[in-house]
Amino acid sequence: MSQPATTLAATKSRHARQGGLKIALVFGLAIVVALIAPHLFASGFGLSLLNRMAIAIVFALSFNMLLGQGGMLDFGHAVFFGLGGFATMHLLKWVDGGLPLPVALLPLAGALGGAFVAVPAGWISTRREGTAFAMITLGIAELAVALVVMIPQWFGGEEGVSGDRSGGMPLFGFDFGAASQIYYVLAFWALIAAALMWGVTRTPLGRLANAVRDNPLRVDFLGYDPARIRFLTFILSGFFAGIAGGMQALNDEILTVSNIGSQASGAVLLMTYIGGVGTFSGPIIGAVLITLLQMALGTLTDAWQLYSGLIFVAMVLWAPGGISGIIRSHAPILRGGLGGRLLAAYLALLPAALVTLAGIIGLAELAYRLQAVRGGGKPGHLFGLAVSPTTPWQWLIPLALFLFGAALLSRLAPGARAAWQEAAAFAAGRRGR
Amino acid sequence: MQEALFVLLNGLVYGLLLFMLSSGLTLIVGMMGVLNFAHASFYMLGAYFAYTISVGLGFWPALIAAPLLVGVLGVAVERYGLRAVHRHGKLAELLFTVGLAFIIGEIVPLIWGRSAVPYRVPALLDFPAFTLGGIQYQAYRLFMMAVSVAIFAGLYAALARTRLGLVIRAALTHPDMVAMLGHDVPRVFTLVFGAGCALAGLAGVIGGNAFTTTPGMAEALGAIVFAVVIMGGLGSIPGALIASLAIGLIQTVSITLDMPLGAMLGHIGLPLDPHGALGQITIAHAAPAVPYLMLVLVLALHPRGLMGARAD
């Protein structure tokens, strides 16, 4: 009897060691990427992009600590982000005034601020779960915004609060005024926060949060209080959202009500969900991708908000696992060497998808440019063609493209889905043998 | 004294409007546990549809047609959107409506522009109904009140006296059991969803011209409606009525109170520095926070809301 048991234990510890090695490798790789990235994107735009990504990664990971790991949808997560940012900003102003603290440490103030606010907010909201929890967080978010607007002495009203990150005492000769210098501070905090949040998923609390997400009643029977576990997870999440807010304060050197409001909360939901809530890496993928899209498309088109909403709804409808979910459902197929079969089925979808996309973009751009023309602006060009949104027939082309593409897609999609299911079943069968 | 009466009347009208929105939403949430985040967007669509129809045909056709249109749209959303994401779970359903609200919020300014549209009170009702102490009270406000009360009575009769109402009430607490008994619960739900959206649309039709019709109206009212539904208790119509009237009255009254917080709390013996940051805020300033403050207070004392039967 003891023989198999020891073998099992040995296998288990070997797995654990391999897992630890893998994590160390991934984390080492992340450090290398963080060190190389500013040299690859050394322009002002590139650095500002990287800084925003670092902030978004921490914010999205803290959000997924609730949504993905704890099953709690927080509609007001930006409250902890923004109030953490305000805490950092006020400390930064004291540092500017002569308080001897290195600026690089200030995101910690944000963390404490975020956790401090999360205690009363969590006490009210985490006693409920599911839909009720989500609605309560929405109410708390509205209350927080109303309070922030009401007290301009603390939050600066419309103009917000601003500070100067280079005004503190220099650390090793750096004053962190330049974007390239603050990048390393933000990257440092992003790596630390990400590592800590990954660590939390391995603690008993992290595991219990998963259990509460999946079956709160059973957790209750096991002798743990689900509401208490939700409460502790909520405070931790507020803590990390506060770090992200502190990073934001250092990066932008200004904080306003908009950093607390529903748009900021919506943005983090968008990022996290599109990246995928089912894995730890999902929010990171989403944060990087959406920040990139936002900064790239935001300068190109007015329709960015509409596009992001459409991407979000498309993800909810057809890929609820997000991008990381898509990767995860294809990884065994690719590992099994069955990618070639699927590629043909997917390539057949590509023309139809492109036609549909062109139709949607055409319609959206025409609509936004019609509004611009009404406001006295110029319609401009689309796909290299002169656009005239006031002529009706120009609307017919994208409409026809969209309808044709959508009809084609709905006809071809079942085939591609069947091909995927077949390949997935085949890959699973192969591994089983 | 007369002023106080007018404030109370306005609060009552506002509260009844809130009830028209929250009654549909609380049925939807109670039956399927789906929080329809786009509910206030349907309110906005009701107002905009009514504006467009009233430009061509006048107010009275719009009063009938706009809610019907919104209801049909709601049925389509439920049938082809919500039902498709249902298999992905409750979170996906909720997020679908979040995305929908977002998209409607982007498309409405594309069609009708970013500033308010001139949606006006019909000429037939644009006269002062009575004058008290030199202040006129608009007849349209009385009309709003009449419509709201009629809707409440109709809804109550439909839920309490008809067979369908019985099925709906049973499905609020025991949807699985009702389905076992042979009722087509998804179809009942589609109906309730469509009717709820139509009610939201009707609220938009009669509220859009009394207040303003702008692309921001959904967001402004949406969060308050959620506060009402949560405060009243999920799935409870009487709870929604009490919470709507309470929020409507208290918010309207607090807008008119110009007394600083520090002075008022001083009256009831709470010390707050009247010259500090908090003490200087007047109650009128604090009015936007009032519904959420009430929500937080109710939940702190009674986590299920005023009359909630279900915990989730």
Side-chain angles (χ1 to χ4, degrees), chain A residues 84 87-88 91-93 95 101-111 189 246 250:
Chain A
T88 307
L91 200 58
L92 179 65
K93 285 178 80 170
V95 169
L101 263 181
V103 167
L105 281 182
L106 290 189
L108 268 183
W189 281 107
L250 288 188

Side-chain angles (χ1 to χ4, degrees), chain B residues 24 27-36 75 78 82-83 86 93 168 171 184-196:
Chain B
L27 280 183
I28 292 167
V29 180
M31 269 182 89
M32 300 303 256
V34 179
L35 169 60
N36 180 17
V75 166
E78 202 283 328
L82 271 183
R83 217 177 272 191
H86 183 69
E93 287 177 297
I168 291 173
D184 191 349
V185 172
R187 206 162 123 198
V188 172
F189 181 59
T190 306
L191 189 86
V192 170
F193 196 93

Side-chain angles (χ1 to χ4, degrees), chain A residues 17 91 98 142 150 161 181 194 230 235 316 348 354 389 399 415:
Chain A
R17 233 179 304 130
L91 200 58
E142 294 291 329
M150 265 159 52
V161 183
Q181 287 184 18
R230 281 197 294 265
I235 296 172
V316 172
L354 285 179
L399 187 67

